Amino acid sequence: MLHLISIGPGDLSQMTPAAQSALQSCDVVIGYTYYIDQIRPLMSDDTEFVLSQLGQEMERADDAVVRAANGRTVAMISSGDIGIYAMASPIFDVLREREWDGTGEDGGPEVTVHPGISAIQATAARLGAPLGHDFCTISLSDLLTPWPVITKRIEAAAWGDFVIGFYNPRSLKRDWQLDYALTELRKHRPDDTPVALARNMTRSDETITVTTLADVDPNDVDMFTLVLVGNSQSYFIGNGMATPRGYVDDGA
Amino acid sequence: MLHLISIGPGDLSQMTPAAQSALQSCDVVIGYTYYIDQIRPLMSDDTEFVLSQLGQEMERADDAVVRAANGRTVAMISSGDIGIYAMASPIFDVLREREWDGTGEDGGPEVTVHPGISAIQATAARLGAPLGHDFCTISLSDLLTPWPVITKRIEAAAWGDFVIGFYNPRSLKRDWQLDYALTELRKHRPDDTPVALARNMTRSDETITVTTLADVDPNDVDMFTLVLVGNSQSYFIGNGMATPRGYVDDGA
């Protein structure tokens, strides 16, 4: 058995009971050291933990599949929703390479995915109702995706007036992509469009900044930040923002 | 206090502990009859339930805000994530009309939002890893959004090669919009692009159908179905589908 388990944005009260009980059924847990520290209180003393550092996702996915195929009950954990910019995709890429068919007859593991609260949802909840209309997520990491694909997505989302959640907006080595995206968005949306910078939502060190598309400063953003940009109808309310479920004009 | 509470896709094991305990702190619960039946086992005998039918979202939102402003601890519940095509947006639209500032000094209620598992996530978990790359959600309901806005979104998402989750894809009165969207997508993606039709995920009557963009039949879709369309790189695996986290070519 291989369980792909979402631990949510941070605080364990945001992790579903289904994900928690699946995790507790496992005898091996694989994940980043930082995430394992979060779920360790849920586990028994005889749990085996396989700690890993950032990167080497394919090797880690392969390790999880092999251990599960060998008869262990394995948990692969990710923060947020494991299906959204996390380990579910590398796991299925490994299963595909191994011509896994899901029947169990090929000796491959049974795989179950447990969804969770992604960063964009934890951020939206803190802000009010920014995802009140159609939204999209875009990762600004060009490690595995060619930059022309990413720019096309940014243009499409800007033109289509989607509320946008930018994941992986900036790192030490990727320091200009977010600025590019914001410059593109400024061609399509008002200067006063609400923008939020949300870092480590629901964790003890969470911070959230609400600003405008004109004023947002990429230097306030790091790799742990989700950047949420409203659509043309989004508005500031209280300390946060919301997006109406309808349109005041045809917006076309 | 007004708690906006996500009950998740159906089974209570998919509702976060934070949302459950916030719900249990409330003495009035407002929501559709069908959703109230789902959470009733969590509540005490002296909970007041305000049952409503589909529609009249603004009236229901106003009722919740007034009751909370009058000193009750009120839960407004929605299935899935209350922030995604659900009641959070109407609530904030009501608060905006009332010039609520979130400080409590205007007599307005304190408002807390509790995120949950949306239909697209429950569907993705059943399928494998279809949200492995950038995705968007589009509601095909033109009750409050002009159809030209929706067609623009469909074109943008098709051109931008987003994985797409269509919410509100079809009802008795809206029977041609999904066909329009699929026709547009067929101009941009291969015939064998994976498509899933997911109905009532995690509920006892859940059904899920995996097919292709060429073969999908809008007649198999109703208002309780989420339609998930892969991007140009998505592939079939086991009984489901997945999307690679990277691109095999530049896709541009």
Side-chain angles (χ1 to χ4, degrees):
Chain A
M1 282 291 299
L2 175 55
H3 290 281
L4 308 188
I5 292 180
S6 306
I7 64 178
D11 192 280
L12 290 181
S13 71
Q14 298 292 339
M15 183 178 178
T16 68
Q20 294 197 27
S21 68
L23 179 63
Q24 289 172 327
S25 77
C26 294
D27 46 56
V28 186
V29 182
I30 303 179
Y32 293 145
T33 307
Y34 181 64
Y35 302 149
I36 283 185
D37 285 345
Q38 284 178 250
I39 56 86
R40 209 182 278 266
L42 298 174
M43 306 306 292
S44 73
D45 287 345
D46 52 357
T47 307
E48 181 184 346
F49 294 104
V50 181
L51 282 63
S52 55
Q53 301 303 313
L54 280 168
Q56 303 210 303
E57 282 84 4
M58 292 307 281
E59 292 78 0
R60 194 175 338 129
D62 201 63
D63 183 29
V65 169
V66 169
R67 285 172 193 259
N70 287 341
R72 305 294 295 277
T73 303
V74 177
M76 167 65 80
I77 63 171
S78 286
S79 72
D81 185 315
I82 197 165
I84 299 176
Y85 305 120
M87 286 301 296
S89 184
I91 288 279
F92 278 88
D93 286 350
V94 163
L95 292 169
R96 183 193 202 186
E97 277 172 22
R98 291 172 169 268
E99 301 181 357
W100 176 85
D101 64 8
T103 61
E105 289 174 13
D106 60 352
E110 188 178 332
V111 180
T112 312
V113 185
H114 304 273
I117 307 298
S118 188
I120 194 172
Q121 297 171 287
T123 301
R126 278 285 187 275
L127 291 168
L131 305 182
H133 212 293
D134 306 329
F135 71 94
C136 69
T137 65
I138 299 176
S139 168
L140 292 180
S141 170
D142 55 359
L143 286 178
L144 294 164
T145 302
W147 182 243
V149 174
I150 301 173
T151 58
K152 196 172 169 180
R153 293 257 166 81
I154 296 166
E155 282 175 53
W159 181 74
D161 200 31
F162 285 91
V163 176
I164 306 173
F166 289 109
Y167 284 70
N168 307 311
R170 188 184 167 100
S171 70
L172 289 175
K173 291 182 187 161
R174 289 182 295 100
D175 62 355
W176 55 267
Q177 284 84 348
L178 177 60
D179 201 42
Y180 177 98
L182 294 169
T183 301
E184 181 66 27
L185 282 167
R186 287 182 188 119
K187 297 176 193 167
H188 294 268
R189 300 190 191 178
D191 277 353
D192 62 351
T193 301
V195 173
L197 310 179
R199 193 173 186 281
N200 288 346
M201 286 300 93
T202 82
R203 294 189 181 135
S204 55
D205 59 345
E206 76 165 50
T207 59
I208 191 160
T209 306
V210 178
T211 179
T212 66
L213 187 54
D215 290 339
V216 58
D217 182 352
N219 293 312
D220 295 336
V221 172
D222 68 10
M223 64 183 287
F224 301 106
T225 309
L226 180 102
V227 179
L228 188 67
V229 181
N231 73 13
S232 63
Q233 313 285 307
S234 301
Y235 56 91
F236 295 98
I237 184 162
N239 296 317
M241 60 190 265
T243 302
R245 65 194 181 129
Y247 262 66
V248 291
D249 58 39
D250 75 5
Chain B
M1 283 291 299
L2 174 55
H3 290 281
L4 308 188
I5 293 180
S6 307
I7 63 177
D11 193 279
L12 290 180
S13 72
Q14 298 292 339
M15 182 177 178
T16 68
Q20 294 197 27
S21 68
L23 179 63
Q24 288 172 327
S25 77
C26 294
D27 45 57
V28 186
V29 182
I30 304 178
Y32 293 145
T33 306
Y34 181 64
Y35 302 150
I36 283 185
D37 285 344
Q38 284 178 250
I39 56 84
R40 210 182 276 266
L42 297 174
M43 306 305 294
S44 72
D45 287 345
D46 52 357
T47 307
E48 181 184 346
F49 294 104
V50 181
L51 281 63
S52 54
Q53 302 302 314
L54 280 167
Q56 304 210 304
E57 283 83 3
M58 292 308 282
E59 293 78 0
R60 192 171 344 126
D62 200 64
D63 183 29
V65 169
V66 168
R67 285 172 192 257
N70 287 342
R72 305 294 295 274
T73 303
V74 177
M76 167 65 79
I77 64 171
S78 286
S79 73
D81 186 314
I82 197 165
I84 300 176
Y85 305 120
M87 286 300 298
S89 184
I91 289 278
F92 278 88
D93 286 350
V94 163
L95 292 168
R96 183 192 203 187
E97 277 172 23
R98 290 172 169 270
E99 299 180 0
W100 175 85
D101 65 8
T103 61
E105 290 173 12
D106 59 353
E110 187 179 331
V111 181
T112 311
V113 185
H114 305 273
I117 307 298
S118 188
I120 195 172
Q121 297 170 287
T123 301
R126 277 285 187 276
L127 291 168
L131 306 182
H133 212 293
D134 305 329
F135 71 93
C136 69
T137 65
I138 299 176
S139 168
L140 292 180
S141 170
D142 56 358
L143 286 177
L144 295 164
T145 302
W147 182 242
V149 174
I150 301 174
T151 58
K152 195 172 171 182
R153 293 256 166 82
I154 296 167
E155 281 175 53
W159 180 75
D161 200 31
F162 285 91
V163 176
I164 307 172
F166 288 108
Y167 285 70
N168 308 312
R170 186 185 168 99
S171 69
L172 290 176
K173 291 181 188 163
R174 290 182 295 98
D175 62 356
W176 55 266
Q177 286 83 348
L178 177 60
D179 201 42
Y180 177 98
L182 294 170
T183 301
E184 182 65 27
L185 283 167
R186 288 183 187 118
K187 298 177 193 165
H188 294 267
R189 299 190 192 178
D191 277 353
D192 62 351
T193 301
V195 173
L197 311 179
R199 192 173 188 281
N200 288 347
M201 286 299 93
T202 82
R203 295 189 180 136
S204 55
D205 58 345
E206 76 165 48
T207 58
I208 190 160
T209 306
V210 178
T211 180
T212 65
L213 187 54
D215 290 338
V216 58
D217 183 352
N219 292 313
D220 295 336
V221 173
D222 68 10
M223 64 183 289
F224 300 107
T225 309
L226 180 102
V227 178
L228 188 66
V229 181
N231 72 13
S232 64
Q233 313 287 304
S234 301
Y235 56 91
F236 295 98
I237 185 163
N239 297 316
M241 60 191 265
T243 302
R245 63 193 183 130
Y247 261 66
V248 290
D249 59 37
D250 75 6

CSV table of all heavy atoms in Angstrom, one decimal, chain B residues 64-94:
chain,number,residue,atom,x,y,z
B,64,ALA,N,-27.6,35.4,7.7
B,64,ALA,CA,-26.5,35.0,8.6
B,64,ALA,C,-25.8,36.2,9.2
B,64,ALA,O,-25.5,36.2,10.4
B,64,ALA,CB,-25.5,34.2,7.7
B,65,VAL,N,-25.6,37.2,8.4
B,65,VAL,CA,-24.9,38.4,8.9
B,65,VAL,C,-25.7,39.1,10.0
B,65,VAL,O,-25.2,39.5,11.1
B,65,VAL,CB,-24.6,39.4,7.8
B,65,VAL,CG1,-24.1,40.7,8.3
B,65,VAL,CG2,-23.5,38.8,6.8
B,66,VAL,N,-27.0,39.2,9.8
B,66,VAL,CA,-27.9,39.9,10.8
B,66,VAL,C,-27.9,39.1,12.1
B,66,VAL,O,-27.8,39.6,13.2
B,66,VAL,CB,-29.3,40.1,10.2
B,66,VAL,CG1,-30.3,40.5,11.3
B,66,VAL,CG2,-29.3,41.1,9.1
B,67,ARG,N,-28.1,37.8,12.0
B,67,ARG,CA,-28.1,36.9,13.2
B,67,ARG,C,-26.8,37.0,14.0
B,67,ARG,O,-26.8,37.1,15.2
B,67,ARG,CB,-28.4,35.5,12.9
B,67,ARG,CG,-29.8,35.2,12.5
B,67,ARG,CD,-30.0,33.8,12.0
B,67,ARG,NE,-31.3,33.6,11.3
B,67,ARG,CZ,-32.3,32.9,11.9
B,67,ARG,NH1,-32.2,32.4,13.1
B,67,ARG,NH2,-33.4,32.7,11.2
B,68,ALA,N,-25.7,37.0,13.3
B,68,ALA,CA,-24.4,37.1,14.0
B,68,ALA,C,-24.2,38.5,14.6
B,68,ALA,O,-23.7,38.6,15.7
B,68,ALA,CB,-23.3,36.8,13.0
B,69,ALA,N,-24.6,39.5,13.9
B,69,ALA,CA,-24.5,40.9,14.4
B,69,ALA,C,-25.4,41.1,15.7
B,69,ALA,O,-25.1,41.9,16.5
B,69,ALA,CB,-24.9,41.9,13.4
B,70,ASN,N,-26.4,40.3,15.7
B,70,ASN,CA,-27.3,40.3,16.9
B,70,ASN,C,-26.8,39.5,18.1
B,70,ASN,O,-27.5,39.3,19.1
B,70,ASN,CB,-28.7,39.9,16.5
B,70,ASN,CG,-29.4,40.9,15.7
B,70,ASN,OD1,-29.0,42.1,15.7
B,70,ASN,ND2,-30.5,40.6,15.0
B,71,GLY,N,-25.6,38.9,17.9
B,71,GLY,CA,-25.0,38.3,19.1
B,71,GLY,C,-25.0,36.8,19.1
B,71,GLY,O,-24.5,36.1,20.0
B,72,ARG,N,-25.6,36.2,18.1
B,72,ARG,CA,-25.6,34.7,18.0
B,72,ARG,C,-24.2,34.2,17.4
B,72,ARG,O,-23.5,35.0,16.8
B,72,ARG,CB,-26.7,34.2,17.1
B,72,ARG,CG,-28.1,34.6,17.4
B,72,ARG,CD,-28.5,34.1,18.8
B,72,ARG,NE,-28.7,32.6,18.8
B,72,ARG,CZ,-29.8,32.0,18.4
B,72,ARG,NH1,-30.8,32.6,17.9
B,72,ARG,NH2,-29.8,30.6,18.5
B,73,THR,N,-23.8,33.0,17.7
B,73,THR,CA,-22.7,32.4,17.1
B,73,THR,C,-23.2,31.6,15.9
B,73,THR,O,-23.8,30.5,16.1
B,73,THR,CB,-21.8,31.6,18.1
B,73,THR,OG1,-21.5,32.4,19.2
B,73,THR,CG2,-20.6,31.0,17.4
B,74,VAL,N,-23.0,32.1,14.7
B,74,VAL,CA,-23.6,31.5,13.5
B,74,VAL,C,-22.7,30.8,12.6
B,74,VAL,O,-21.5,31.3,12.4
B,74,VAL,CB,-24.3,32.7,12.7
B,74,VAL,CG1,-24.9,32.2,11.5
B,74,VAL,CG2,-25.3,33.4,13.6
B,75,ALA,N,-23.1,29.6,12.1
B,75,ALA,CA,-22.3,28.9,11.1
B,75,ALA,C,-23.1,29.0,9.8
B,75,ALA,O,-24.3,28.7,9.7
B,75,ALA,CB,-22.1,27.4,11.5
B,76,MET,N,-22.4,29.5,8.8
B,76,MET,CA,-23.0,29.3,7.4
B,76,MET,C,-22.2,28.2,6.8
B,76,MET,O,-20.9,28.2,6.8
B,76,MET,CB,-22.7,30.6,6.6
B,76,MET,CG,-23.0,30.5,5.1
B,76,MET,SD,-24.7,30.1,4.7
B,76,MET,CE,-25.4,31.7,4.9
B,77,ILE,N,-22.8,27.1,6.3
B,77,ILE,CA,-22.1,26.0,5.8
B,77,ILE,C,-22.3,25.9,4.3
B,77,ILE,O,-23.3,26.3,3.7
B,77,ILE,CB,-22.5,24.7,6.5
B,77,ILE,CG1,-24.0,24.3,6.2
B,77,ILE,CG2,-22.3,24.7,8.0
B,77,ILE,CD1,-24.4,22.9,6.6
B,78,SER,N,-21.2,25.4,3.6
B,78,SER,CA,-21.3,25.0,2.2
B,78,SER,C,-20.5,23.7,2.0
B,78,SER,O,-19.6,23.4,2.7
B,78,SER,CB,-20.6,26.1,1.3
B,78,SER,OG,-21.3,27.3,1.2
B,79,SER,N,-20.9,23.0,1.0
B,79,SER,CA,-20.2,21.8,0.6
B,79,SER,C,-18.9,22.2,-0.1
B,79,SER,O,-18.7,23.4,-0.5
B,79,SER,CB,-21.0,20.8,-0.3
B,79,SER,OG,-21.1,21.4,-1.5
B,80,GLY,N,-17.9,21.3,-0.2
B,80,GLY,CA,-16.6,21.6,-0.8
B,80,GLY,C,-15.9,22.6,0.0
B,80,GLY,O,-15.9,22.6,1.3
B,81,ASP,N,-15.3,23.6,-0.6
B,81,ASP,CA,-14.6,24.7,0.0
B,81,ASP,C,-15.6,25.9,-0.1
B,81,ASP,O,-16.0,26.3,-1.2
B,81,ASP,CB,-13.3,25.0,-0.6
B,81,ASP,CG,-12.5,26.1,0.1
B,81,ASP,OD1,-13.1,27.2,0.5
B,81,ASP,OD2,-11.3,25.9,0.3
B,82,ILE,N,-16.0,26.5,1.1
B,82,ILE,CA,-17.0,27.6,1.1
B,82,ILE,C,-16.5,28.8,0.3
B,82,ILE,O,-17.3,29.6,-0.2
B,82,ILE,CB,-17.4,28.0,2.5
B,82,ILE,CG1,-18.7,28.8,2.5
B,82,ILE,CG2,-16.2,28.7,3.2
B,82,ILE,CD1,-19.4,28.9,3.9
B,83,GLY,N,-15.2,28.9,0.1
B,83,GLY,CA,-14.6,30.0,-0.7
B,83,GLY,C,-14.6,29.8,-2.2
B,83,GLY,O,-14.4,30.7,-3.0
B,84,ILE,N,-15.0,28.6,-2.7
B,84,ILE,CA,-14.9,28.2,-4.1
B,84,ILE,C,-16.3,28.0,-4.6
B,84,ILE,O,-16.9,26.9,-4.4
B,84,ILE,CB,-13.9,27.0,-4.3
B,84,ILE,CG1,-12.5,27.4,-3.8
B,84,ILE,CG2,-13.9,26.6,-5.8
B,84,ILE,CD1,-11.5,26.3,-3.9
B,85,TYR,N,-16.9,28.9,-5.4
B,85,TYR,CA,-18.2,28.8,-5.9
B,85,TYR,C,-19.2,28.5,-4.8
B,85,TYR,O,-20.1,27.7,-5.0
B,85,TYR,CB,-18.3,27.8,-7.0
B,85,TYR,CG,-17.3,28.0,-8.1
B,85,TYR,CD1,-16.4,27.1,-8.5
B,85,TYR,CD2,-17.4,29.2,-8.9
B,85,TYR,CE1,-15.5,27.3,-9.5
B,85,TYR,CE2,-16.5,29.4,-9.9
B,85,TYR,CZ,-15.5,28.5,-10.2
B,85,TYR,OH,-14.6,28.7,-11.2
B,86,ALA,N,-19.1,29.1,-3.6
B,86,ALA,CA,-20.0,28.8,-2.6
B,86,ALA,C,-20.3,30.1,-1.8
B,86,ALA,O,-20.3,31.1,-2.4
B,86,ALA,CB,-19.4,27.7,-1.7
B,87,MET,N,-20.7,30.0,-0.5
B,87,MET,CA,-21.3,31.1,0.2
B,87,MET,C,-20.4,32.2,0.7
B,87,MET,O,-20.9,33.2,1.1
B,87,MET,CB,-22.2,30.5,1.3
B,87,MET,CG,-23.5,29.9,0.9
B,87,MET,SD,-24.6,30.9,0.0
B,87,MET,CE,-25.0,32.2,1.2
B,88,ALA,N,-19.1,32.0,0.7
B,88,ALA,CA,-18.2,33.0,1.2
B,88,ALA,C,-18.3,34.3,0.4
B,88,ALA,O,-18.4,35.4,1.0
B,88,ALA,CB,-16.7,32.6,1.2
B,89,SER,N,-18.4,34.2,-0.9
B,89,SER,CA,-18.5,35.4,-1.7
B,89,SER,C,-19.8,36.2,-1.5
B,89,SER,O,-19.7,37.4,-1.3
B,89,SER,CB,-18.3,35.0,-3.2
B,89,SER,OG,-18.3,36.1,-4.0
B,90,PRO,N,-21.0,35.6,-1.5
B,90,PRO,CA,-22.2,36.3,-1.2
B,90,PRO,C,-22.1,36.9,0.2
B,90,PRO,O,-22.6,38.1,0.4
B,90,PRO,CB,-23.3,35.3,-1.2
B,90,PRO,CG,-22.8,34.2,-2.1
B,90,PRO,CD,-21.3,34.2,-2.0
B,91,ILE,N,-21.5,36.2,1.2
B,91,ILE,CA,-21.4,36.8,2.6
B,91,ILE,C,-20.6,38.1,2.5
B,91,ILE,O,-21.0,39.1,3.1
B,91,ILE,CB,-20.8,35.8,3.5
B,91,ILE,CG1,-21.7,34.7,3.8
B,91,ILE,CG2,-20.3,36.5,4.8
B,91,ILE,CD1,-22.7,34.9,4.9
B,92,PHE,N,-19.5,38.1,1.8
B,92,PHE,CA,-18.6,39.3,1.8
B,92,PHE,C,-19.3,40.4,0.9
B,92,PHE,O,-19.1,41.6,1.2
B,92,PHE,CB,-17.2,39.0,1.4
B,92,PHE,CG,-16.4,38.5,2.5
B,92,PHE,CD1,-16.4,37.1,2.8
B,92,PHE,CD2,-15.7,39.3,3.3
B,92,PHE,CE1,-15.6,36.6,3.9
B,92,PHE,CE2,-15.0,38.9,4.5
B,92,PHE,CZ,-15.0,37.5,4.7
B,93,ASP,N,-20.1,40.0,-0.1
B,93,ASP,CA,-20.8,41.0,-0.8
B,93,ASP,C,-21.8,41.7,0.1
B,93,ASP,O,-22.0,42.9,0.0
B,93,ASP,CB,-21.5,40.4,-2.0
B,93,ASP,CG,-20.5,40.1,-3.2
B,93,ASP,OD1,-19.3,40.5,-3.1
B,93,ASP,OD2,-20.9,39.4,-4.1
B,94,VAL,N,-22.5,41.0,1.0
B,94,VAL,CA,-23.4,41.6,2.0
B,94,VAL,C,-22.6,42.5,2.9
B,94,VAL,O,-23.1,43.6,3.2
B,94,VAL,CB,-24.2,40.5,2.7
B,94,VAL,CG1,-24.8,41.0,4.0
B,94,VAL,CG2,-25.2,39.8,1.8
